[in-house]
Amino acid sequence: MFSPPHISPANPKHALPVVWSTNVEDYATSLAVSSDGTLTALGNAAGELRVLDSLSGEVRFRVTAHRGAIVAAAWSPKQRVLATAGQDGTARLYDAEGVQLAELLGDAPWVEHVAWAPDGQHLATSAGRVTRLWSSAGAPLWAADAQESAVTGLAWNRKGTQLATACYGGVRVFDVGSGAAAKHLSWPGSLISLSWSPDDAVIACGTQERSVHFWRLAKARESEMSGFSAKPRALSWDAEGKLLATSGDTNVGVWSFDGKGPEGKPPIELVGHAALCTALAFHPKLPRLASGADDTSVIVWDPRRKTTPVAFGFLEETVTGLAWTLGGRLLVGTDATGQVTAWGADAIPP
């Protein structure tokens, strides 16, 4: 186990208390928390889906959901319905008891992304170059024309009226209600991740060229943050849409979109990991950020106040996912061995 600067497994003063821990017996590929925070869904590389009680870690159900890895998972914001995407070319819907409600066929060997509209009335999926829209029950509603390359990201605006997709050549924003032609935010390269700010003002994408490109939608302005040592796959906005955390380096970069935004200003650099940052998650209410890395460490930060760790925990291998649950009372992390740990966030210093 590495010992990154400022943190140590032997330092109990700032160690996050473990509430529960388990193992999903293969690479943990997906992590999703229900809208009320009470259920935590975990998918692994063998295609097994487990849903746990978030507070106790007890298994509510486990099923083989896909033939091959579960690539993504997302809970409906309004119902206890879970969407999964797999390497068998399907997406599937499950209820909270593990009953399969629907199978949604894809257009490629893998379905790679699932994203619920904020009102829970629609589900978007992408498989290869094709994005599809489904009802909450899994009935097919609409399919976009095939894009230039495989879709690498899906995100809804907060009203659920627009859906953004990323691929080679830029972002397309579909007006789902009107059926009007998609707006194309052009970029001459491959986009590898997509995140829409909670205030709908900015779409940010990590790129193959080790940069983060973003568009201010109201003013049709775009800009870029460059200089990353690796591809920034993980992006996370704070609850107000004012801070954007980016991976792509050992240090975590946090960019302020207050006022005129980050152009011409250096990011807040959070120094603590000893290897590449692999996962990011802002707290749902507080300006706290959790980050995970290749060095097995999970760190909690307060980026507006200080650039050193506030609290930390460790997993067994590369951190593959992070999520806050139960209103931010717990932080859940997953890793490449299948280890899953929930830490108590109430113990984090104010």
Side-chain angles (χ1 to χ4, degrees):
M1 180 181 289
F2 292 97
S3 291
H6 311 301
I7 67 174
S8 165
N11 179 3
K13 183 177 180 182
H14 301 300
L16 289 164
V18 174
V19 177
W20 54 262
S21 189
T22 187
N23 196 292
V24 294
E25 300 169 17
D26 207 324
Y27 192 108
T29 55
S30 58
L31 167 64
V33 174
S34 63
S35 59
D36 63 4
T38 60
L39 299 176
T40 296
L42 303 160
N44 70 15
E48 184 185 78
L49 171 67
R50 298 190 196 190
V51 170
L52 312 183
D53 179 282
S54 295
L55 187 59
S56 67
E58 294 181 3
V59 177
R60 293 286 297 270
F61 72 83
R62 56 189 292 185
V63 297
T64 299
H66 294 273
R67 298 180 302 278
I70 297 174
V71 183
W75 288 95
S76 166
K78 299 298 183 182
Q79 306 176 67
R80 285 192 164 194
V81 175
L82 178 71
T84 62
Q87 286 184 335
D88 56 3
T90 68
R92 298 171 190 263
L93 300 182
Y94 289 89
D95 69 13
E97 306 303 320
V99 176
Q100 182 177 305
L101 304 176
E103 179 180 87
L104 289 56
L105 298 179
D107 299 88
W110 291 18
V111 177
E112 296 166 310
H113 301 279
V114 289
W116 289 94
D119 63 3
Q121 295 301 305
H122 300 104
L123 174 71
T125 64
S126 69
R129 299 192 301 152
V130 177
T131 299
R132 289 188 175 272
L133 190 68
W134 311 81
S135 74
S136 59
L141 301 176
W142 166 84
D145 293 336
Q147 299 189 25
E148 292 88 341
S149 69
V151 175
T152 55
L154 285 179
W156 291 87
N157 69 344
R158 59 181 167 176
K159 294 181 179 179
T161 55
Q162 293 182 313
L163 174 69
T165 66
C167 68
Y168 180 89
V171 171
R172 282 182 170 79
V173 180
F174 297 90
D175 191 329
V176 175
S178 70
K183 180 179 180 180
H184 187 202
L185 307 176
S186 179
W187 193 81
S190 293
L191 303 177
I192 60 171
S193 56
L194 184 153
S195 187
W196 202 329
S197 66
D199 60 3
D200 288 348
V202 179
I203 289 178
C205 295
T207 81
Q208 190 80 10
E209 286 72 23
R210 296 184 296 184
S211 65
V212 174
H213 200 83
F214 64 89
W215 290 265
R216 283 189 177 83
L217 301 180
K219 298 181 179 180
R221 289 170 51 200
E222 58 186 294
S223 192
E224 189 168 286
M225 307 107 154
S226 59
F228 296 90
S229 64
K231 301 168 188 176
R233 298 185 181 277
L235 307 172
S236 182
W237 290 95
D238 74 339
E240 296 180 351
K242 301 301 183 183
L243 296 177
L244 174 66
T246 57
S247 61
D249 223 320
T250 302
N251 297 344
V252 178
V254 179
W255 307 81
S256 175
F257 281 76
D258 276 328
K260 295 183 179 180
E263 290 93 335
K265 300 178 183 177
I268 302 167
E269 285 200 72
L270 306 179
V271 181
H273 295 297
L276 183 69
C277 174
T278 55
L280 293 165
F282 261 108
H283 191 283
K285 299 176 183 177
L286 303 175
R288 286 179 176 162
L289 172 68
S291 63
D294 273 334
D295 64 7
T296 79
S297 65
V298 172
I299 303 179
V300 177
W301 314 85
D302 187 351
R304 288 195 179 273
R305 297 171 58 189
K306 58 191 300 186
T307 58
T308 53
V310 174
F312 60 84
F314 288 90
L315 291 168
E316 298 297 322
E317 246 291 351
T318 295
V319 180
T320 60
L322 290 170
W324 298 90
T325 186
L326 294 172
R329 290 165 50 202
L330 294 183
L331 173 64
V332 181
T334 61
D335 77 9
T337 70
Q339 186 70 24
V340 185
T341 298
W343 295 278
D346 288 343
I348 298 173

